[in-house]
Each structure stands twice: as structure tokens, then as C-alpha cells.
Amino acid sequence: MSTVLTGWGRTAPSAADVVTPRHPSGVGTVVAEAGRRGVIARGLGRSYGDAAQNAGGTVLDVTGLADMRAVDRDATTITVDGGVSLDALMRLLVPQGYFVPVSPGTRFVTVGGALAADIHGKNHHFEGSFANHVRSFTLRAPKETVVATPDDEPEVFWGTAGALGLTGIITEVTMRLLPIETSFVLVDTERVNHLDALMERMEEGDDRYRYSVAWIDCLASGRSLGRSVLTRGDHAPLDALPAKLRSQPLRFAPPTGLSAPPWVPEGIMNRFTVRAFNELWFRRAPRQRRERLESITGFFHPLDGVQHWNRLYGKRGFVQYQFVVPPEATATVRQSVQLLSQAQCASFLAVLKRFGPGNPGPLSFPIPGWTLALDIPAAVRGLGSLLDELDRLVVSAGGRVYLAKDSRVAPELIPRMYPNLDRLGALRARLDPTGVIQSDLARRLQLL
């Protein structure tokens, strides 16, 4: 089992040749000059596995493509280069009264990467994933450059959404924006005593909220198995703000002061410290649903306020594991949480969400159902066997793991998780007949 690098910010493994073009025209040159091991695009390095690594080949750092056009207020869209980060986009948009339609748990991902991973957020049950809000994009593939929309070049559009860069380099994206009145979210929070009650509550009430996510205590057992803190909400209207905040309702100033030191003691993330944190986090949540205001950064990106937070996991780092199973597979979710509890798996961050309809992309992750995401210290004893067992449960239930976060799934399981790989193969044959676009993930999972 391989593990994720702890040093986010590395452009790529040292064995790769890293190139940073400053204009879309330079992308074609890099692709044309790629050697036998090919080329793959890379953004800000927040993918947890090897999707944007290419040992022995070329890694195209897209962060040099960072131009943003003006907001089209009539169409409620913006056009940006593929290397623009969601952080830069939010700093531009929020003060103007707009938000990105889908945000993951960090602002530090590029727009091109967001589309290539077809990222999802707390609102998938309500508004789908990132590709659902893209109007068009420009793809520079080895054989041709394509401007794709859902209606014009739909195979390229949906085949690229979630394909982890394996169809070409996304150089420009036009995306829909979400109008907002304030930079705050009106959030309902409540404590839920066990997993079955949590899933019932989410099924019954999620449709009333744009955003919904549940934190789960994976160390709890017995009648407290899967005890949770459920948070749901929507963007706050102006009249929901107290008078002192109404003078600058769209102020957006994400905090960046804290930083985890490089000398964090090894093994600080263990079942004893995580158990203590889980107890505190659960007890501080209200017994009954309570409404409060949170900033956009506090609600969507709490860990972005702590630089190098990944250091807390020590030199061995952590593995993130995320799966989705169909709506009827509640027993699989329960079995998974029970396995984690029995193994005393100290997952500091374990979140459950509901997905709505998925996209037709052959490698797009979301399908309707339940998705559980886990951050697990790589030093946990027996972790490889535990995750292998979770894989088997997920596949038998008709589910899949998220490849943008994967570093260890068995390649023979991929066709069962993603049954439309032939469509990806046909698209690559059209766009990249000589196999220039390559990555470590594609080779590991035999996608080439």
C-alpha cells in the first residue's frame, strides 16, 4: 500500500520533469515535446494520490495559466484559465456578490483540476458536481484542440469531467456562478446519537437545505455507533445578519495566521488523542437543532486556516479513503462504520454526505447514494487489510472509490466500480492516439 506525500506544495516527484507554461499556447509545445513517459497536468497538488504524478515523464504545472476575465453579469458566468485557484476566484467574486457553485473542503485547487476530478461539495444532493455548472471548456489534447460544451462535443465534455487529466490539458473554463447577498452561511447544527438516526434524518430533511454534511465519530461503538454532528445550511440573506455586520455584508478575508510547526511529535494522531477530540466535538454540539451564522471560510474550508495542517499526521502522512454506495445500501455504510470502530481506526475527519444524480462521465465519481470520506493516519496497524475489506463491501454493493483520493485500490476492481471505461478508451483513441497523456495513477490502475 502506498501512502500520500505529507508535503503538499511539491509540484511533483523529483523523478519528473516539471514545466510551467505561462500562456495556453505553451501547453501545445509541452505536449508535442513529451517523451516516452508522456505528460500529465498538475494544479495545486491537493489530490491525495498519484493522479497528477508522472515519474520519469513530464508534469505540466498549470498554475502559470492564471488569467481571469470579467464576470458576465447577464449570463452569471465567468471565464478563467485552467490554472486559476478557487481561492483567487473567491477573493474576486465574493465581494461582488457571487460564489463558486461547488466547493470542496479546500479553496486551494485549480479550476482545471476541479473539472478534471469533477469535484463535489456539501451540495451534491441539491446541485450536483462541478461539471454540472461548467458551460464550456477548452481542451488541448495531443491530436486536436476542442472547445466542448454539453451540447457541442458532449463525449469530450463528459468524458473529460472526472477523467483526472487523461483526455488532455484544460486551459480555459466558462462556469456558472451562484449569486449571494452575504459572505455568511446560515447553519443548522444538531447532535445525533447513532448512525441509523443520522441517515434517517438526512433522508428526511436534506432536501430543505442547499448544504448538508455529517461528521461521524468512527471510534464510537454499541448503541453510540456512528454518533454524529449534522450541519446543514444555505447562504445567509442580508436580513439575517446582525446590524454590526450589515455595513460590509460581502467582506471576504480568509484567516491564514496559524501554521502547524515542522516539529510536531510523531504519532500525535492516535486513537487516544482522536477519541478525546471526538468526545469534545460531539459534546459541544447542541442536543437540539440550533441555527447560527458562520463565515464562508469557517463553513467550507476550516482547515485552510491552518497552514501545513497535514504535518499533524507525522512523517508517514495519511491516507484519505472515500467511497459512494447506492441509496439502498445503508447496511453497507453501517458495516463500514462498524469495521472502522472495531479496528479502532483513528480517523480524525470522517464525513458522510448524500449524493444526487451523477454525471455520464466514465470516471466521474458521484452516483446517487451515500458517500463516506475518511482521513486515516498511514501508521494505523492493519490499515491495508482494512481498506481492502472496505473495497470488497463497496464493490459488492454497487459502489466505487474516489480515484482523485486513491493511492492503493486493486486495479482489477476498477472495471467493476467504473463499468464504462470503454468510452474513455474510445475518447483517448480519438484525442491521444499515441498515448502522450500518462500518469502514475493511470499506469497503476491499468487505464492506459
Side-chain angles (χ1 to χ4, degrees):
M1 179 183 68
S2 60
T3 59
V4 66
L5 295 172
T6 60
W8 276 347
R10 285 179 61 174
T11 305
S14 58
D17 179 24
V18 181
V19 183
T20 309
R22 301 295 176 183
H23 189 273
S25 61
V27 172
T29 302
V30 175
V31 172
E33 295 177 353
R36 180 178 61 86
R37 296 281 284 187
V39 61
I40 192 70
R42 184 176 176 88
L44 287 167
R46 285 331 196 249
S47 179
Y48 290 83
D50 50 3
Q53 296 182 3
N54 188 26
T58 300
V59 169
L60 196 155
D61 175 9
V62 300
T63 58
L65 307 177
D67 284 348
M68 292 187 280
R69 323 304 186 257
V71 174
D72 184 333
R73 295 184 179 274
D74 293 331
T76 323
T77 62
I78 190 170
T79 300
V80 301
D81 283 354
V84 169
S85 70
L86 294 191
D87 176 65
L89 203 50
M90 290 180 197
R91 291 177 186 273
L92 172 73
L93 294 175
V94 172
Q96 297 186 50
Y98 298 100
F99 191 62
V100 295
V102 173
S103 175
T106 176
R107 303 186 309 277
F108 299 110
V109 298
T110 61
V111 171
L115 177 57
D118 199 13
I119 61 169
H120 55 273
K122 300 174 182 179
N123 59 336
H124 193 280
H125 68 286
F126 197 84
E127 291 177 303
S129 51
F130 193 83
N132 294 86
H133 305 275
V134 171
R135 293 292 178 258
S136 68
F137 63 83
T138 301
L139 182 76
R140 294 197 175 228
K143 188 175 181 181
E144 59 182 303
T145 296
V146 184
V147 177
T149 75
D151 299 317
D152 185 14
E153 296 283 2
E155 279 299 309
V156 175
F157 187 95
W158 295 115
T160 297
L164 303 175
L166 294 177
T167 61
I169 316 299
I170 300 166
T171 58
E172 186 178 274
V173 177
T174 298
M175 57 186 286
R176 184 181 71 84
L177 303 177
L178 177 67
I180 56 176
E181 294 182 15
T182 75
S183 59
F184 293 87
V185 182
L186 204 55
V187 182
D188 281 352
T189 303
E190 57 185 312
R191 184 194 306 179
V192 187
N193 290 324
H194 58 85
L195 184 64
D196 291 340
L198 170 68
M199 289 192 285
E200 289 175 7
R201 208 160 298 186
M202 293 175 78
E203 284 184 314
E204 184 276 327
D206 271 5
D207 290 346
R208 299 196 298 270
Y209 298 87
R210 184 184 299 271
Y211 303 107
S212 174
V213 64
W215 167 87
I216 293 179
D217 181 358
C218 287
L219 292 174
S221 59
R223 291 193 297 178
S224 296
L225 179 75
R227 66 178 183 173
S228 314
V229 176
L230 176 59
T231 55
R232 298 184 285 193
D234 205 341
H235 294 278
L238 183 61
D239 59 13
L241 300 191
K244 64 180 180 179
L245 295 177
R246 291 187 187 180
S247 61
Q248 292 183 298
L250 291 166
R251 183 175 181 269
F252 185 70
T256 56
L258 296 176
S259 178
W263 43 261
V264 174
E266 197 68 25
I268 194 172
M269 285 290 189
N270 57 61
R271 68 179 185 273
F272 304 108
T273 56
V274 173
R275 186 184 298 278
F277 168 83
N278 288 357
E279 184 68 26
L280 176 65
W281 194 256
F282 181 74
R283 296 298 172 189
R284 73 185 290 272
R287 293 178 183 271
Q288 303 295 326
R289 190 178 65 193
R290 184 181 302 167
E291 188 178 73
R292 72 184 190 282
L293 281 173
E294 285 191 34
S295 68
I296 278 177
T297 52
F299 183 71
F300 290 100
H301 318 118
L303 287 178
D304 282 351
V306 183
Q307 298 180 53
H308 308 298
W309 61 264
N310 49 301
R311 290 174 177 167
L312 297 174
Y313 287 92
K315 293 180 180 179
R316 292 189 62 181
F318 66 96
V319 172
Q320 180 156 118
Y321 181 82
Q322 183 172 3
F323 69 77
V324 60
V325 292
E328 63 274 13
T330 54
T332 302
V333 178
R334 192 179 305 108
Q335 282 179 278
S336 301
V337 174
Q338 197 156 24
L339 281 173
L340 294 163
S341 174
Q342 290 169 350
Q344 290 294 280
C345 190
S347 178
F348 168 70
L349 187 67
V351 295
L352 183 71
K353 298 191 290 284
R354 290 174 66 238
F355 278 167
N359 289 331
L363 277 185
S364 181
F365 169 64
I367 59 172
W370 301 96
T371 181
L372 179 66
L374 308 160
D375 283 1
I376 308 173
V380 168
R381 186 175 300 173
L383 180 57
S385 299
L386 173 63
L387 296 181
D388 287 344
E389 190 168 358
L390 288 175
D391 285 345
R392 289 190 287 270
L393 278 175
V394 168
V395 169
S396 64
R400 57 182 55 164
V401 299
Y402 193 16
L403 298 183
K405 297 179 178 180
D406 174 61
S407 60
R408 34 68 54 200
V409 71
E412 59 267 23
L413 295 180
I414 300 303
R416 297 176 62 187
M417 294 179 176
Y418 293 89
N420 296 313
L421 293 177
D422 57 332
R423 287 179 44 221
L424 177 65
L427 182 59
R428 281 177 53 83
R430 169 192 160 183
L431 299 174
D432 183 19
T434 59
V436 173
I437 305 297
Q438 302 183 34
S439 70
D440 289 350
L441 177 142
R443 285 186 285 264
R444 174 173 59 85
L445 298 181
Q446 301 171 14
L447 298 175
L448 298 177

